[in-house]
């Protein structure tokens, strides 16, 4: 297994108390595989990714338990210097907002080239040639000329391609893309998603795709991990989840996807809001919003029940959900 996150716990000390952002997350991704991590805003998706990448804000963040096994090594046990070597070269991250992730005063060629100068000891000229190659690879038209331009001279979609090129530069084994298309319009979203999927196949990388939009992952993900209040509530091969979700929260997410054949009908929305992580409801954290909730849900935290060999659900009534 390329990446194995086991029972990860992260909290934040804030003025208002301790925010339990990640509460025992376990997920894994293999080479050549795409794992989609799905959940509403505030469910702990980014914090989990930051802990994996080693870019968590500490303090106020604190990893209070768990392991992050990458190619067999627990990254949480490495010194910062070793950690830095892993970051960039072996795992890289793509963020939602390319404009703030890229340096506004450097040309994209200089930024891409820098990866090769710093990490591979290349000359500036060779690095520039590699930068053009990378831009071609992420299909930026006119790469040879545009390599001299600054980030603000590119459209949102093209900037996102540049960030993908940065992440790919050193051919990492794992890429974590955190809402990479959320800021883009729908057509461009699909193109960027398709590009990521293609590069993942070509380079046999592992890809973690974080999104709040179940609609964008169907065609690109192999597995889905659904997060709620800092926990994985359902984990499943992608086709099984679309056929029949085994958790009421997943069902709610599926029912809220706009569908072409239902134009004009009112869209379903899960009632209420996700809980504050300062104050997670007892029992099943989803119970205040769950249409299937019963007494036991208010007191007993559901473990991740085994639905099948490849599938888990943290719902006491997963059978009913699956067959309902
Ligand atoms: N820097 C921070 N300081 C304090 N709390 C934070 C910080 N970053 C994240 N959190 C807490 O962690 C929660 C989960 O955040 P995040 O992982 O970014 O959610 P998601 O990516 O699923 O939208 C936030 O709602 C907040 O309570
Ligand atoms: S455990 Fe209960 S509240 Fe939680 S998702 Fe299942 S039915 Fe709903
Ligand atoms: Mg996030």
């Amino acid at each position: 297994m390329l990446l194995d996150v086991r029972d990860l716990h992260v909290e934040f000390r804030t003025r208002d108390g301790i925010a339990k952002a990640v509460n025992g997350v376990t997920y894994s991704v293999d080479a050549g595989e795409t794992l989609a991590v799905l959940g509403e805003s505030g469910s702990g998706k980014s914090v989990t990714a930051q802990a994996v990448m080693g870019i968590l804000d500490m303090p106020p963040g604190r990893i209070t338990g768990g392991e992050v096994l990458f190619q067999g090594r627990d990254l949480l046990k490495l010194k910062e210097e070793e950690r830095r070597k892993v970051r960039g070269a072996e795992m890289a991250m793509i963020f939602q907002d390319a404009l703030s992730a890229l340096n506004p005063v450097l040309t994209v060629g200089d930024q891409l080239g820098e990866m090769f100068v710093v990490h591979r000891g290349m000359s500036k000229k060779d690095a520039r040639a590699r930068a053009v190659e990378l831009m071609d690879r992420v299909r930026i038209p006119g790469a040879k000329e545009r390599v001299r331009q600054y980030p603000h001279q590119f459209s949102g979609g093209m900037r996102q391609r540049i960030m993908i090129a940065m992440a790919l530069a050193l051919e990492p084994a794992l890429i974590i893309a955190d809402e990479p298309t959320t800021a883009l319009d729908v057509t461009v979203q699909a193109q960027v998603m398709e590009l990521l999927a293609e590069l993942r196949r070509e380079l046999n990388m592992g890809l973690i795709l974080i999104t709040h939009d179940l609609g964008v992952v169907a065609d690109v993900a192999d597995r889905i991990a659904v997060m709620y209040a800092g926990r994985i509530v359902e984990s499943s091969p992608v086709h099984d989840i679309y056929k029949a979700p085994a958790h009421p929260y997943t069902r709610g997410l599926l029912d809220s996807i706009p569908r072409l054949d239902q134009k004009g009908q009112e869209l379903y929305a899960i009632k209420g809001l996700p809980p504050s992580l300062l104050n997670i409801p007892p029992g099943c954290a989803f119970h205040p919003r769950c249409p299937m909730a019963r007494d036991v849900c208010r007191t007993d935290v559901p473990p991740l029940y085994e639905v099948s060999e490849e599938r888990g659900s943290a719902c006491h009534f997963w059978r009913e959900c699956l067959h309902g």
Side-chain angles (χ1 to χ4, degrees):
M1 196 56 73
L2 179 62
L3 176 75
D4 226 332
V5 177
R6 291 193 188 155
D7 200 24
L8 187 68
H9 288 74
V10 182
E11 31 180 75
F12 290 93
R13 278 160 195 266
T14 73
R15 256 182 315 171
D16 305 319
I18 293 180
K20 294 187 165 271
V22 180
N23 302 300
V25 163
T26 295
Y27 64 49
S28 58
V29 58
D30 221 339
E33 190 182 46
T34 300
L35 170 75
V37 178
L38 196 84
E40 287 163 292
S41 169
S43 51
K45 307 181 297 294
S46 295
V47 171
T48 305
Q50 287 156 10
V52 170
M53 277 298 290
I55 56 169
L56 189 68
D57 261 342
M58 297 195 286
R62 212 156 64 96
I63 296 174
T64 53
E67 293 174 308
V68 176
L69 301 172
F70 180 65
Q71 294 169 331
R73 287 189 297 179
D74 186 357
L75 297 185
L76 300 182
K77 296 211 171 87
L78 297 187
K79 296 210 173 64
E80 181 48 33
E81 195 191 322
E82 296 171 275
R83 197 70 203 270
R84 212 169 6 213
K85 279 187 209 149
V86 174
R87 199 159 51 231
E90 294 177 60
M91 51 166 77
M93 197 149 167
I94 298 166
F95 300 93
Q96 172 179 335
D97 183 5
L99 204 50
S100 58
L102 296 169
N103 187 335
V105 300
L106 286 183
T107 65
V108 300
D110 283 343
Q111 287 181 69
L112 287 168
E114 198 176 66
M115 303 287 290
F116 298 106
V117 174
V118 171
H119 292 271
R120 297 280 188 264
M122 279 187 192
S123 72
K124 275 204 139 171
K125 186 161 166 271
D126 291 346
R128 170 59 59 106
R130 292 299 294 275
V132 174
E133 264 174 49
L134 270 176
M135 287 172 72
D136 277 334
R137 184 156 219 180
V138 296
R139 294 192 248 313
I140 296 175
K144 243 194 178 125
E145 291 74 44
R146 300 209 75 182
V147 72
R148 286 188 204 87
Q149 294 185 327
Y150 293 88
H152 75 268
Q153 294 175 285
F154 290 81
S155 68
M158 285 298 152
R159 267 201 298 271
Q160 210 56 7
R161 286 171 192 261
I162 293 164
M163 199 151 49
I164 294 171
M166 293 274 278
L168 287 178
L170 306 174
E171 307 209 344
L174 175 73
I175 286 195
I176 304 181
D178 192 353
E179 312 255 8
T181 64
T182 301
L184 307 174
D185 68 49
V186 177
T187 342
V188 183
Q189 260 184 21
Q191 291 162 359
V192 170
M193 210 48 97
E194 184 49 40
L195 173 69
L196 261 179
E198 230 174 274
L199 293 165
R200 195 267 301 144
R201 268 194 304 273
E202 248 172 61
L203 300 169
N204 198 36
M205 298 181 297
L207 174 63
I208 297 180
L209 189 61
I210 298 172
T211 174
H212 66 276
D213 185 355
L214 190 47
V216 304
V217 298
D219 302 326
V220 292
D222 300 298
R223 298 184 52 78
I224 291 191
V226 181
M227 277 189 81
Y228 191 79
R231 283 209 166 85
I232 305 286
V233 295
E234 179 162 7
S235 163
S236 166
V238 69
H239 41 89
D240 292 352
I241 255 183
Y242 283 93
K243 240 187 285 165
H247 195 286
Y249 180 59
T250 317
R251 175 168 298 260
L253 292 176
L254 275 170
D255 289 346
S256 354
I257 302 175
R259 280 175 27 190
L260 289 173
D261 57 336
Q262 289 179 336
K263 242 189 188 151
Q265 280 183 41
E266 208 170 317
L267 203 58
Y268 173 85
I270 304 171
K271 69 170 189 192
L273 293 170
S276 155
L277 299 176
L278 288 164
N279 195 4
I280 297 176
C284 171
F286 186 55
H287 83 253
R289 307 173 72 190
C290 181
M292 284 175 56
R294 272 160 253 184
D295 284 346
V296 62
C297 304
R298 289 174 251 280
T299 50
D300 295 13
V301 177
L304 195 73
Y305 294 102
E306 190 179 300
V307 173
S308 72
E309 211 175 300
E310 295 189 280
R311 213 172 165 189
S313 165
C315 171
H316 295 304
F317 302 105
W318 64 266
R319 277 196 183 81
E320 263 175 60
C321 182
L322 194 63
H323 302 119

